[in-house]
Amino acid sequence: MSLDDIDFGERYRRHMAAAGGREKPPEVWDARARDMTPALDESAYVRAFVRRMDLFGCETLLDVGCGSGAIALAVAPCMKRVYGLDYSRGMLDRFMENAAAQGATQAQPILRAWEDDWSDVPECDIVVASRSTAVMDMEAALRKLDAKARRRVYLTNLAGGRFVDAEVVALLGRTQPPLPDYIYIVNLLHRMGRQPRLDYIESVGRLAGSADFETFARKVAFSLGRLDAAEHARLAEWYAADPQRARRGGSLFRWAFIAWETGRA
């Protein structure tokens, strides 16, 4: 058996299903958009992402799962047009508010989900997907990203299989299996005839930046599901024992940074 005999797309889909992966309704992200505050190292993560990008010869960029538009707007001064694609109207509203605040008149929103028809989504020199690739069908997602990029694709994906610090998961007694890791992407791109480059970005995780315990608890519930009274009490004890650790969200989080050339420009 060789690598070519392995259907990594199907294995990913089975792994995601077994791990309980699911798309959150857009209304969940709409609500989160209204309450968003900058993460502790948001700017550090954005700088690390942008530093790894090659913008030479590029005038247009598509940011898939753009959220508030951190990556698209960071490079907007170098672009004639930046598109922010997201399935949350609330996030797109925040993206356009941020664009207006920095005078990025070249920013344009696109309301679309990963599984939607992308036939009218414009091709761009660069396509990025920053921390937005926890999808149910990775093979289909990668083909969409690749098809819309004339020159290059840049994405970050989960490294380690968990969005929440393992200590917090264990504290709550959860047995949630890890999600598919980034290595599926590398193998799928190999099957697509691409030559991906791999790097890593360390940052704080999803639980970071909470101003108080209730905010922290809401972030935990957002990722792991509703907390019962006993779990809430254990989490409060953990938070009170070291508030600085809690504000960091636990241990540092690692993102796999994956880039490839499409060679169509």
Side-chain angles (χ1 to χ4, degrees):
M1 176 179 286
S2 71
L3 282 177
D4 291 337
D5 298 317
I6 302 173
D7 187 342
F8 287 102
E10 178 61 23
R11 291 200 174 199
Y12 175 96
R13 290 186 288 270
R14 290 182 181 178
H15 187 154
M16 182 61 89
R22 65 193 186 282
E23 291 280 1
K24 288 181 169 63
E27 295 78 15
V28 172
W29 292 105
D30 291 346
R32 191 167 187 185
R34 292 192 294 269
D35 299 330
M36 281 182 71
T37 55
L40 285 179
D41 73 339
E42 180 70 15
S43 59
Y45 168 86
V46 172
R47 287 195 301 271
F49 192 108
V50 172
R51 189 168 60 245
R52 289 164 170 79
M53 297 172 66
D54 178 4
L55 305 181
F56 181 77
C58 297
E59 297 181 340
T60 55
L61 178 140
L62 172 66
D63 187 348
V64 177
C66 65
S68 61
I71 301 299
L73 296 178
V75 301
C78 305
M79 298 286 151
K80 289 185 177 179
R81 178 71 67 182
V82 293
Y83 300 91
L85 183 152
D86 208 293
Y87 75 137
S88 163
R89 191 175 296 278
M91 285 294 181
L92 289 177
D93 289 344
R94 179 58 68 93
F95 165 56
M96 293 308 293
E97 289 169 7
N98 291 340
Q102 76 173 54
T105 57
Q106 68 274 53
Q108 181 173 325
I110 301 174
L111 183 64
R112 207 63 51 88
W114 279 103
E115 62 273 15
D116 288 342
D117 177 14
W118 284 21
S119 58
D120 63 339
V121 173
E123 289 187 15
C124 290
D125 295 319
I126 294 176
V127 175
V128 302
S130 169
R131 300 183 292 194
S132 62
T133 56
V135 296
M136 300 305 295
D137 188 340
M138 182 60 74
E139 183 175 15
L142 292 175
R143 292 192 181 280
K144 283 186 169 181
L145 295 175
D146 190 83
K148 293 301 176 181
R150 284 192 289 263
R151 292 179 180 271
R152 304 172 192 112
V153 181
Y154 301 100
L155 65 81
T156 47
N157 185 259
L158 186 64
R162 298 187 188 280
F163 284 111
V164 176
D165 184 277
E167 184 179 352
V168 173
V169 175
L171 174 76
L172 299 177
R174 300 294 179 96
T175 57
Q176 187 179 41
L179 294 169
D181 216 335
Y182 69 92
I183 200 65
Y184 283 98
I185 296 176
V186 175
N187 284 300
L188 284 165
L189 288 171
H190 171 76
R191 292 293 297 271
M192 289 168 56
R194 300 306 187 203
Q195 297 180 325
R197 298 190 304 277
L198 176 64
D199 199 353
Y200 300 95
I201 298 175
E202 284 195 337
S203 70
V204 295
R206 282 186 174 180
L207 306 182
S210 301
D212 52 46
F213 170 70
E214 290 306 324
T215 303
F216 180 78
R218 283 197 299 272
K219 289 185 177 184
V220 173
F222 179 84
S223 293
L224 298 180
R226 183 178 177 276
L227 304 177
D228 62 28
E231 290 172 332
H232 194 272
R234 289 198 299 274
L235 193 64
E237 185 176 349
W238 185 88
Y239 184 96
D242 189 345
Q244 281 297 113
R245 173 190 62 184
R247 278 191 280 273
R248 292 193 305 270
S251 58
L252 283 177
F253 192 86
R254 175 174 280 193
W255 294 97
F257 180 94
I258 300 174
W260 71 93
E261 303 274 343
T262 64
R264 284 196 291 272

